Amino acid sequence: MRPSTLVLALLAGLALAFAVIFGHFSGSTATDAERLAANRALVERYGLTDLALFTEARYTRHPSQADLHSAFQDHPAALEHFPTGSLVSPRSLPLFRDAPLAGKTTSPD
Amino acid sequence: MRPWLEKQLHLIDFTLVSLARRKTKNVGLLLAYTLIVFVLASLSLFTHALRSEASYVLAGSPEVILQRMVAGRHDLIPAGYLERIGRIRGVQKKEGRLWGYYYDPVVNANYTFMARPASEVADGTIMVGSALARERGLAPGNTISFRSYAGKLFGFTVAAVLSPDSELLSADLVLLSESDFRRFFEYPEGHYTDIALSVANPQEVRTVAAKLSAALPDSRPILREEVLRTYQSLFDWREGIVLTVLAGAILAFAILAWEKASGLSAEERREIGILKAIGWETSDVIRMKVWEGLIISLTAFLLGGIAAYVQVFHFGAAVFAPVLKGWSVLYPRFTLVPAVDGLQIATLFFFTVVPYTAAVLVPIWRAAITDPDAVMRA
């Protein structure tokens, strides 16, 4: 067999495998969908707000609930020392986070 | 069509023989190239899958969570606070939640304790996350004792271990009854950790938050959309950090590939001179080099991509786990649902295959348009 035929066949095989893997196997199967639905139900039932990815420190366990300066919570100017601190981003909130809410209502309902 | 195809096949044959003459160099380049594609593709697949999973499951979290702040810190919701909220239009349900953290010195891990109604978890029993159960060797029916922050020892019977499928959410969770929670943490009666509100109409969530802010100036409403945004930005940031760390390696590879692709060795130069001298046209030489670039970069892209997929979705992203784990003792075991963003793959293709193939062309064109005699003598 010519080397070109061999290489082209190999490339075509790889491209086909790539397309099948990324195209066909992507997306959720019935089992995946079931698991995702069960997890969503768990979140709804227990009112969970965060993934249990960073359990090392209290304030990295629930990044969405931690207060805004939690990295310095041990004492003022305490530098962040947990590795997750470099992985968890600062919250993407505007500087004056309540500004859009201010002045919208004058009294509670 | 046929002569054209035949010509291309001959060109590829010639390219392969030419590549085989510098076997070690080219195999090394292919390996480095594949590795770079593998790392970049793994990173992109992993973060995208985590982001999709987080946004899907966390879409079920409470619409609004109300925390109370004292001197800029999260404080307990005092008795009577729930009533002060009053009846806000659009709020279907408001409930005080009890949860907190417990540091277990036995395994040096932090657990999340959460109170559930007595109908779900009976007094004296707990339900635990499967990572915690694994770490402490627990099974339903076992008893475990925790020393509370007040120094008292509390014994609990494990009623159930939460499904391992939910580990990504419940790895460190301990569910116990409300009265056990209050006794264990010595929570004052009527106090809560925060308040969860459910709002039926998503359009009204911001209005409800505004009303809460107005009614209770010391409170901080956290909206579900903020929770979801936190997770979007968290993984963007993480991806960025890893990319920054990888930048050196990517740059080194770019220099290697550029040098290989754009700088011609004396041998290659002579080869082009000879080809021109025996009658090859400039366009043939360029075509041959395009095939060379395409064969190397396409093979690297396809191999790297497939390896990344297998690594992320079948081997639990073992390459990134140590980075993600940090100092966590309880780290969830989870398999992600394969979620592939076509745009990400296209971007990766564009930034790996196209530049290399293009970089090959310039020096070849320069060498190919020069007089064969001058090229061979240079």
Side-chain angles (χ1 to χ4, degrees), chain B residues 209-225:
Chain B
K211 287 178 182 172
L212 287 170
S213 291
L216 306 158
D218 61 345
S219 71
R220 171 184 169 222
I222 302 169
L223 311 185
R224 183 200 276 165
E225 62 182 84

Side-chain angles (χ1 to χ4, degrees), chain B residues 4 33 42 59 109 149 177 190 235 237 244 253 282 300-301 310 323 327 358:
Chain B
W4 182 87
Y33 205 154
S42 301
Y149 289 124
S177 74
F235 294 125
W237 172 275
T244 312
F253 171 75
T282 306
F301 175 78
V310 173
V323 184
W327 293 352

